[in-house]
Amino acid sequence: MPTPYSTTATTLDVYPNAAIDSDISVLPRIFEEHISIAIFKRTLPAEIAISANAQCQTSRDWQYGWLGSPTDALREDLYRKLPEPSAGDALIEDIATVAEAIAYLFDTDTVGIRLRLLTAAMCPRFHCDNLPVRLVATYAGPGSEWLPEHAVNRAGLGAPAPNRPEIVRDSHAIQRMQAGDIGLIKGSGWEGSEERGLVHRSPALSAGQKRLLLTIDPA
């Protein structure tokens, strides 16, 4: 797998279903049977953070979508469609590099990319995605929240109902990715993980707070 980021590896695994490290080489651990989330922890370089924040200076939510190969055509399309393309170079290059790495990791020519500016939580209830795997990365604002397996009551998943128990067994166990982190999340569509996909949710946003979220689905 290409390693476009140079860091000193620091393994931070603390839960059996999570692989967390400060080196991008942690991401292939998502293929391990017991791992439902793999997180590459990184401090967002200043030029990328500045580029991302420039895209947040709009008065309303917006989103960008791409389905195809992560080639120069993706870079060109992002440049045409970002709210502030003149400040977009660093963000565009980072998105393209991450997309290329994910396409390589999952041996595919096609990825589905969404870049969204949010002013409210997109999926505020804890849930499990009905897909094999998804990359999530937050460029600005709070990151995705997730639960280690011991803190999940899976009987509570699904649409709210009077007889459903609480999903969260231990609220102190709720984990959160940070801006800059790159996470791979297994869903219930991953073969062998139909009952063990990661339970996660979007973070709450305070008044006036914004979140710039990237998701990538290997196709």
Side-chain angles (χ1 to χ4, degrees):
M1 179 178 182
T3 54
Y5 306 100
S6 177
T7 60
T8 301
T10 303
T11 301
L12 303 169
D13 300 18
V14 289
Y15 299 111
N17 67 320
I20 307 172
D21 203 294
S22 61
D23 193 278
I24 196 172
S25 62
V26 71
L27 295 181
R29 292 193 60 195
I30 197 67
F31 291 103
E32 296 177 20
E33 182 178 359
H34 68 288
I35 296 298
S36 56
I37 182 169
I39 301 174
F40 165 36
K41 295 193 67 65
R42 62 169 184 166
T43 300
L44 203 62
E47 63 271 18
I48 299 175
I50 292 169
S51 182
N53 286 329
Q55 313 309 316
C56 299
Q57 307 308 310
T58 63
S59 59
R60 59 183 177 81
D61 295 5
W62 58 264
Q63 69 172 346
Y64 167 83
W66 172 271
L67 180 62
S69 297
T71 61
D72 284 343
L74 168 62
R75 292 174 171 85
E76 293 164 3
D77 197 55
L78 276 163
Y79 187 81
R80 285 194 299 269
K81 295 178 180 177
L82 284 182
E84 292 293 337
S86 62
D89 287 355
L91 177 63
I92 289 169
E93 189 57 34
D94 193 67
I95 292 171
T97 300
V98 172
E100 288 167 354
I102 294 307
Y104 181 91
L105 179 62
F106 290 97
D107 192 22
T108 180
D109 293 327
T110 305
V111 293
I113 297 172
R114 287 284 184 272
L115 183 66
R116 300 178 175 95
L117 180 65
L118 304 167
T119 55
M122 186 171 59
C123 301
R125 179 176 167 81
F126 275 111
H127 65 284
C128 179
D129 292 335
N130 186 26
L131 45 72
V133 65
R134 170 168 287 165
L135 177 144
V136 295
T138 300
Y139 283 103
S144 298
E145 297 177 345
W146 58 278
L147 291 172
E149 191 59 33
H150 77 270
V152 178
N153 182 356
R154 290 186 178 270
L157 294 173
N163 60 340
R164 284 196 186 278
E166 291 292 325
I167 298 169
V168 182
R169 295 185 187 275
D170 178 7
S171 61
H172 297 292
I174 297 172
Q175 303 297 302
R176 175 181 285 179
M177 293 172 59
Q178 302 302 310
D181 292 351
I182 296 173
L184 285 175
I185 292 175
K186 269 182 190 168
S188 59
W190 185 286
E191 186 175 355
S193 290
E194 292 82 359
E195 304 299 327
R196 292 187 290 110
L198 187 81
V199 176
H200 62 286
R201 71 180 178 187
S202 300
L205 299 180
S206 58
Q209 192 174 29
K210 298 179 181 180
R211 182 186 186 208
L212 187 60
L213 172 67
L214 172 72
T215 62
I216 302 179
D217 298 341

